[in-house]
């Protein structure tokens, strides 16, 4: 409702600004606005259809959240072209929603697979799936709870890291040390890009590994198209921004547009990124109508919830809070376990320094022996239970 009112109030102004920009020889604003205005209604219609035919809440809740990506991205990018000086604030919200989309896609897959409630048991009986390049040297995660647990939290870490780095980037921008597009050691841009890149790679790797382990069960819901939609919009837009930053750094943008003014080059790169996103969102909106269609959920025999109840369920974020709390618990437990495992080694080193050893080899052998003879590591059974709610939780909201 809030977003609908926002669009009704903002769209007329943006359209007027676009026509004004066209008269002032800035056709990029008009063309981008044209594609954005086409993309937003396509997605909104599909969202409303899912809300009308809300027959499978555990799945459709996450689909609706994913479908909101196109209107948010398109409107955000269009505003970024019209107001390039304020794009850092708009991009912050868009980047946080990227992580939210990845989370919802993973939970959508988990809820689909766990519809019968015995997903982990079935997965444990399947052939072992090995790690892919570049982690093929790692010990394979055991099929069942361990694989699901690790893939889930490998994706959840991106849900935490992305908003955190976005907040840090915004703070650095306000302090004048962000340096967007500047690959310098005294600017935060380089380090934030590196952290986001690593976090995205881990999330993407876990998502692909999870799909490989369950591709037979996922085949009826045609996951390839859905997977490509998520990958194309979320990950491609990120690397597209990185590529534009590289073009700026290598003076390609300044050569093409024949300008050496840093402020002008920054404005051009910002507008270029947002212009491409507006066009891509139109194509993504069409793809979403086929890949996340409401038609499989049309069931005239079921009594559906009201649109108001469905809308409230969509904005109920308690499932996100529960999963993030679980993720922090898992990370905290892992850190405590690592500290407890390294404590005997540190203690032995301290005693060795006090008592003295004849050689460095004796010291290492003694320390290694103390670790081996210590407490065994946690078993697979000690992993926290995966929070898969195949039943309706918190009203209509599910994890």
């Amino acid at each position: 409702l809030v977003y609908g009112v926002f669009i009704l109030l903002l769209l007329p102004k943006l359209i007027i600004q676009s026509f004004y920009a066209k008269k002032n020889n800035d056709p990029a604003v008009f063309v981008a606005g044209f594609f954005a205005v086409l993309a937003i209604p396509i997605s909104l219609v599909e969202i409303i259809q899912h809300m009308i035919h809300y027959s499978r809440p555990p799945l459709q809740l996450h689909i609706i959240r994913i479908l909101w990506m196109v209107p948010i991205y398109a409107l955000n990018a269009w505003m970024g072209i019209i107001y390039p000086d304020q794009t850092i604030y708009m991009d912050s919200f868009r980047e946080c929603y990227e992580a939210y989309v990845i989370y919802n896609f993973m939970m959508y897959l988990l809820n689909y697979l766990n519809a019968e409630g015995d997903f982990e048991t079935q997965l444990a009986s399947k052939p072992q799936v090995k790690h892919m390049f570049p982690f093929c040297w790692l010990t394979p995660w055991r099929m069942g709870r361990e694989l699901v647990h690790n893939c889930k939290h490998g994706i959840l870490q991106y849900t935490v890291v992305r908003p955190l780095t976005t907040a840090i980037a915004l703070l650095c921008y306000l302090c004048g040390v962000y340096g967007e597009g500047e690959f310098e050691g005294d600017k935060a841009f380089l380090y934030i890009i590196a952290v986001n890149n690593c976090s995205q790679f881990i999330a993407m790797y876990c998502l692909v590994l999870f799909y490989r382990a369950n591709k037979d069960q996922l085949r009826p819901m045609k996951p390839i198209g859905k997977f490509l939609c998520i990958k194309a919009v979320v990950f491609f837009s990120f690397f597209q921004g990185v590529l534009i930053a590289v073009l700026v750094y290598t003076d390609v943008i300044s050569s093409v547009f024949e300008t050496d003014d840093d402020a002008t080059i920054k404005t051009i790169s910002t507008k270029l990124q947002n212009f491409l996103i507006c066009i891509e969102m139109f194509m993504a909106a069409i793809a979403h109508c086929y890949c996340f269609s409401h038609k499989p959920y049309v069931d005239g025999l079921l009594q559906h919830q009201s649109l108001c109840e469905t809308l409230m369920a969509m904005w109920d974020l308690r499932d996100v809070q529960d999963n993030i709390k679980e993720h922090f618990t898992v990370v905290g437990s892992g850190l405590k376990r690592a500290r407890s495992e390294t404590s005997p080694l540190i203690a032995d080193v301290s005693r060795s320094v006090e008592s003295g050893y004849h050689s460095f080899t004796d010291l290492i052998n003694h320390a290694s022996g103390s670790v081996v003879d210590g407490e065994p590591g946690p078993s697979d059974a000690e992993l926290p239970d995966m929070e898969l709610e195949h039943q309706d939780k918190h009203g209509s909201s599910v994890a």
Side-chain angles (χ1 to χ4, degrees):
L1 180 61
V2 175
Y3 183 78
V5 173
F6 181 70
I7 288 180
L8 290 177
L9 294 177
L10 189 62
L11 269 182
K13 181 179 179 180
L14 293 178
I15 292 173
I16 293 173
Q17 293 257 12
S18 298
F19 279 103
Y20 179 77
K22 183 182 179 182
K23 293 179 180 179
N24 287 274
N25 297 321
D26 191 2
V29 177
F30 179 80
V31 175
F34 175 76
F35 282 101
V37 170
L38 287 178
I40 291 174
I42 294 174
S43 293
L44 290 180
V45 168
E46 193 63 32
I47 290 171
I48 293 172
Q49 289 296 327
H50 273 284
M51 295 173 66
I52 293 173
H53 303 286
Y54 200 60
S55 58
R56 297 188 66 183
L59 301 181
Q60 289 177 278
L61 171 67
H62 300 290
I63 290 177
I64 292 174
R65 290 172 174 177
I66 292 171
L67 291 175
W68 274 107
M69 175 172 55
V70 167
I72 289 174
Y73 274 47
L75 190 61
N76 181 289
W78 191 16
M79 291 176 63
I81 297 177
I82 298 175
Y83 307 105
D85 295 338
Q86 308 299 322
T87 187
I88 184 67
Y89 305 104
M90 292 175 278
D91 287 352
S92 297
F93 177 72
R94 185 178 71 203
E95 290 167 358
C96 291
Y97 204 82
E98 286 181 3
Y100 187 56
V101 167
I102 293 296
Y103 161 80
N104 278 284
F105 185 62
M106 180 64 179
M107 298 311 300
Y108 167 72
L109 297 179
L110 285 173
N111 288 343
Y112 177 85
L113 292 168
N114 202 51
E116 303 299 329
D118 57 350
F119 165 53
E120 289 183 3
T121 304
Q122 293 180 5
L123 184 61
S125 63
K126 298 175 66 175
Q128 180 66 53
V129 173
K130 296 182 179 180
H131 282 287
M132 303 171 291
F133 180 83
F135 300 119
C136 48
W137 51 274
L138 291 176
T139 302
W141 295 336
R142 287 191 294 272
M143 301 295 285
R145 176 181 297 179
E146 182 179 351
L147 186 137
V148 173
H149 172 85
N150 290 342
C151 287
K152 177 183 177 181
H153 289 282
I155 293 172
L156 273 174
Q157 59 81 25
Y158 181 60
T159 308
V160 176
V161 170
R162 187 61 170 177
L164 182 61
T165 55
T166 299
I168 294 174
L170 183 59
L171 182 62
C172 291
Y173 174 80
L174 296 175
C175 296
V177 294
Y178 180 54
E180 183 177 2
E182 300 179 22
F183 294 88
E184 304 292 343
D186 58 345
K187 300 296 183 181
F189 177 78
L190 175 62
Y191 305 105
I192 290 176
I193 285 292
V195 172
N196 285 338
N197 202 355
C198 292
S199 180
Q200 278 194 352
F201 178 79
I202 293 172
M204 195 68 180
Y205 177 85
C206 291
L207 198 59
V208 174
L209 188 65
F210 184 81
Y211 166 74
R212 287 185 60 207
N214 300 279
K215 58 183 178 181
D216 293 334
Q217 284 75 16
L218 291 172
R219 187 172 290 115
M221 50 95 79
K222 300 177 181 178
I224 297 297
K226 297 177 175 63
F227 182 80
L228 291 177
C229 283
I230 299 299
K231 180 180 178 181
V233 175
V234 175
F235 293 97
F236 184 74
S237 62
F238 170 77
F239 289 108
Q240 177 178 276
V242 174
L243 178 60
I244 292 175
V246 171
L247 294 178
V248 171
Y249 183 74
T250 55
D251 295 329
V252 174
I253 298 293
S254 60
S255 300
V256 172
F257 291 92
E258 299 179 351
T259 179
D260 293 327
D261 183 62
D262 292 339
T264 303
I265 293 173
K266 183 179 178 181
T267 300
I268 291 173
S269 63
T270 299
K271 287 187 174 183
L272 179 60
Q273 166 76 338
N274 289 321
F275 178 79
L276 293 175
I277 289 177
C278 285
I279 297 176
E280 291 160 3
M281 286 308 103
F282 171 67
M283 295 184 288
I286 297 175
H288 282 182
C289 287
Y290 289 97
C291 296
F292 294 100
S293 175
H294 69 281
K295 294 179 181 178
Y297 305 100
V298 176
D299 190 343
L301 300 178
L302 292 178
Q303 183 177 1
H304 304 301
Q305 296 179 346
S306 65
L307 289 179
C308 183
E309 291 175 336
T310 304
L311 189 64
M312 294 301 296
M314 182 183 64
W315 292 110
D316 187 354
L317 302 180
R318 283 177 291 179
D319 61 305
V320 184
Q321 296 174 1
D322 292 341
N323 279 285
I324 290 179
K325 287 180 181 178
E326 180 195 355
H327 179 66
F328 278 114
T329 301
V330 169
V331 173
S333 300
L335 293 176
K336 290 180 181 179
R337 186 164 62 246
R339 186 173 59 182
S340 65
E341 290 175 352
T342 56
S343 294
L345 176 60
I346 297 174
D348 281 333
V349 171
S350 299
R351 287 194 297 268
S352 301
V353 172
E354 295 175 359
S355 60
Y357 277 95
H358 295 292
S359 68
F360 180 75
T361 305
D362 293 338
L363 171 62
I364 296 300
N365 290 338
H366 181 80
S368 301
S370 67
V371 175
V372 172
D373 297 335
E375 292 292 331
S379 64
D380 183 54
E382 292 176 348
L383 289 173
D385 291 336
M386 181 187 66
E387 292 191 13
L388 281 175
E389 287 95 351
H390 57 279
Q391 297 178 349
D392 201 0
K393 180 182 178 183
H394 304 311
S396 318
S397 179
V398 295

